[in-house]
Amino acid sequence: MDLELAGKIAVVTGTSVGIGREIAKMLAAEGARLVLIARRGELLQTLRQELEKSGAAAPLAIAKDLTAPDAHTEVRDKVLAAFGYIDILVNNAGGSRPLPIDAPEDAWEEAIALNFTAVRRLTHAFLPTMIERRSGRIINITGTSEPRGLNAAYSAKAAVYAWAKGLSREIGQFGITINSLAPGRILSEQIVNRINPGDASRDQFARDNIPVGYFGEPQDMAYAVAFLASPKARYVTGEIVHIDGGMRRFAF
Ligand SMILES: NC(=O)c1ccc[n+]([C@@H]2O[C@H](COP(=O)([O-])OP(=O)(O)OC[C@H]3O[C@@H](n4cnc5c(N)ncnc54)[C@H](OP(=O)(O)O)[C@@H]3O)[C@@H](O)[C@H]2O)c1
């Protein structure tokens, strides 16, 4: 199946490591022209070189903290100056933020700023150009909605769901779709270093919680992104798709 992604301009946030890096590689392999964004510019440069070596068109790399107040306008202006428009926006940058009940205010604010406000701002910054072209694909990488405890990222991702559903009803008439992909446990920097360190603990977690019996790979997310980014996914919007090996327990 041709996903018709050749030549599309795709902005992917959080591309220095993990899921976002793999999404960028897969969209580039499908022929898209990439914009790479994260704070660690040196990692973006290695990805840029890797993509160019594989024959992809030269990506634009923007080293930026997406929680900075000017991030959304700076990214939009650089992308539009380079390409004039955007076809695909993948809001991937984010991360888990388990917090104690007496966590300071700024810990909550940082988590909401990264996992919700930055997503909303960047999307709205690109909406006028998508509306003008009557076409666009927006994909949010979210996370579980079954809290195991207090985690500010869960609250922020829940806000993404409510915002994205509402927005889907406003922008459908312009040929723009917005969907969310919720990873379960995907092997990435934050999972390996912080959340589930150690093979033995991961194996135990997988046995206890994941019906297919193993953690996912970033490619498992990237395949789903490639489909939702395609013109072929025109009739899917306002949805949440769980990519979690069956970890989510609810039928609906
Ligand atoms: N892996 C999982 O199992 C899992 C589970 C649930 C949800 N998720 C979600 O999936 C997404 C990707 O997660 P991951 O596991 O791949 O995480 P990761 O390995 O920690 O990568 C996170 C990416 O986001 C970027 N990022 C973080 N803060 C940023 C900021 N302030 N400004 C710009 N970029 C920033 C990081 O780059 P820099 O550090 O270079 O800025 C990095 O590229 C996140 O939204 C996460 O919440 C993942």
Side-chain angles (χ1 to χ4, degrees):
M1 180 169 64
D2 177 10
L3 290 174
E4 301 170 62
L5 293 173
K8 300 281 187 200
I9 306 298
V11 175
V12 184
T13 70
T15 36
S16 56
V17 292
I19 294 171
R21 196 171 176 101
E22 201 53 43
I23 291 170
K25 282 158 72 170
M26 188 148 319
L27 293 179
E30 290 295 316
R33 185 104 191 239
L34 267 297
V35 178
L36 314 170
I37 306 167
R39 291 166 301 182
R40 285 171 284 178
E42 66 288 358
L43 292 175
L44 296 183
Q45 288 311 324
T46 61
L47 177 57
R48 188 170 188 274
Q49 286 159 8
E50 209 180 305
L51 294 182
E52 283 184 306
K53 218 183 242 176
S54 73
L60 173 67
I62 305 174
K64 186 77 187 173
D65 182 341
L66 285 163
T67 63
D70 64 341
H72 58 300
T73 50
E74 183 181 320
V75 169
R76 177 200 59 201
D77 292 351
K78 284 185 170 162
V79 171
L80 296 186
F83 303 114
Y85 62 91
I86 172 184
D87 295 298
I88 299 157
L89 171 63
V90 184
N91 290 308
N92 165 78
S96 182
R97 294 291 187 278
L99 294 177
I101 55 174
D102 60 350
E105 192 59 22
D106 58 357
W108 278 93
E109 283 184 359
E110 185 272 340
I112 302 291
L114 175 62
N115 288 289
F116 174 58
T117 308
V119 172
R120 176 182 57 77
R121 282 186 178 155
L122 193 60
T123 303
H124 284 258
F126 280 120
L127 276 178
T129 174
M130 286 185 171
I131 289 171
E132 198 183 310
R133 288 169 51 80
R134 299 201 163 261
S135 150
R137 293 282 177 272
I138 303 158
I139 298 143
N140 310 308
I141 308 302
T142 52
T144 177
S145 25
E146 293 166 52
R148 289 165 181 272
L150 196 56
N151 187 322
Y154 296 163
S155 307
K157 306 285 193 188
V160 170
Y161 292 144
W163 159 79
K165 189 68 185 175
L167 186 59
S168 72
R169 301 188 61 84
E170 305 278 352
I171 60 179
Q173 63 185 309
F174 303 114
I176 307 169
T177 65
I178 179 165
N179 292 289
S180 300
L181 291 175
R185 292 290 158 111
I186 305 291
L187 292 166
S188 69
E189 188 177 77
Q190 63 161 341
I191 293 291
V192 172
N193 293 348
R194 192 159 56 89
I195 300 173
N196 298 101
D199 289 344
S201 94
R202 277 197 293 279
D203 287 349
Q204 185 65 49
F205 183 94
R207 271 197 300 278
D208 293 346
N209 298 284
I210 307 176
V212 301
Y214 54 89
F215 280 47
E217 297 286 344
Q219 291 96 315
D220 293 312
M221 297 298 299
Y223 291 125
V225 170
F227 172 67
L228 290 174
S230 163
K232 291 198 160 77
R234 66 178 190 175
Y235 213 56
V236 184
T237 193
E239 277 304 321
I240 302 167
V241 181
H242 299 267
I243 314 278
D244 66 357
M247 190 168 91
R248 183 172 179 272
R249 288 167 187 262
F250 297 107
F252 303 103

